[in-house]
C-alpha cells in the first residue's frame, strides 16, 4: 500500500481540484471538500462520497443549509494505488465522479461516460 500522511494527501487533493476545468468548479455552491481516512463502515471499497442534495433536486435552497460535502477517503485511495502518479489519477477521477453527483449525474450515466 502506498503511504502518504494526511497533510500530503490533502495537498494532492487541492492540487487536483486546481486542475479541474473552471466550468466544472464555478457552479459548485455551498460545497465543502473533505478528506477522511475511511468510510464509517471502515471498508476500503468506497473512494469518495457526495453528501448533499443534487442541483437537479433542489427546490428552495440556500437559506441556511449546511454545506454539501464531497468526501475523499484517504486509506482506500492509498490502498489501490502503487505510486503517486496513479494516486493523482484516482483522486482526479474520484473528484470528477463526486462533483458529477452534485450536478445530478447518476452512477449509470457516469459509467456510460467512463467516469465510474
Amino acid at each position: 500500500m502506498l503511504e502518504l500522511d494526511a497533510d500530503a494527501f490533502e495537498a494532492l487533493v487541492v492540487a487536483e481540484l486546481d486542475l479541474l476545468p473552471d466550468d466544472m468548479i464555478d457552479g459548485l455552491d455551498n460545497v465543502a471538500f473533505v478528506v477522511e481516512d475511511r468510510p464509517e463502515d471502515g471498508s476500503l471499497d468506497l473512494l469518495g462520497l457526495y453528501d448533499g442534495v443534487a442541483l437537479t433536486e433542489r427546490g428552495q435552497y440556500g437559506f441556511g443549509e449546511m454545506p454539501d460535502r464531497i468526501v475523499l477517503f484517504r486509506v482506500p485511495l492509498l490502498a489501490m494505488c502503487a505510486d503517486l502518479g496513479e494516486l493523482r489519477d484516482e483522486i482526479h477521477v474520484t473528484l470528477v465522479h463526486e462533483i458529477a453527483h452534485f450536478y445530478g449525474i447518476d452512477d449509470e450515466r457516469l459509467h456510460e461516460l467512463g467516469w465510474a
Side-chain angles (χ1 to χ4, degrees):
M1 179 168 103
L2 186 61
E3 293 192 23
L4 201 62
D5 69 30
D7 289 338
F9 186 89
E10 202 164 305
L12 278 180
V13 171
V14 170
E16 287 303 317
L17 268 171
D18 287 344
L19 294 174
L20 293 175
D22 289 341
D23 57 346
M24 181 183 290
I25 299 299
D26 289 346
L28 297 176
D29 183 34
N30 203 28
V31 177
F33 288 86
V34 179
V35 172
E36 294 181 1
D37 280 342
R38 290 177 180 256
E40 286 183 20
D41 66 4
S43 74
L44 295 177
D45 297 332
L46 190 61
L47 304 179
L49 175 71
Y50 170 66
D51 179 23
V53 178
L55 204 56
T56 55
E57 297 174 12
R58 293 181 181 180
Q60 290 284 357
Y61 186 86
F63 301 102
E65 286 89 353
M66 294 296 293
D68 291 2
R69 296 181 338 134
I70 292 178
V71 183
L72 273 70
F73 297 111
R74 185 176 68 90
V75 174
L77 281 158
L78 291 173
M80 72 176 300
C81 297
D83 58 43
L84 281 177
E86 189 177 344
L87 179 60
R88 282 186 184 95
D89 290 345
E90 286 301 326
I91 288 171
H92 182 89
V93 168
T94 303
L95 285 169
V96 169
H97 183 103
E98 302 310 331
I99 289 169
H101 287 319
F102 167 84
Y103 287 112
I105 302 171
D106 63 17
D107 282 333
E108 183 179 330
R109 182 67 179 133
L110 283 167
H111 184 72
E112 292 169 4
L113 295 170
W115 289 103

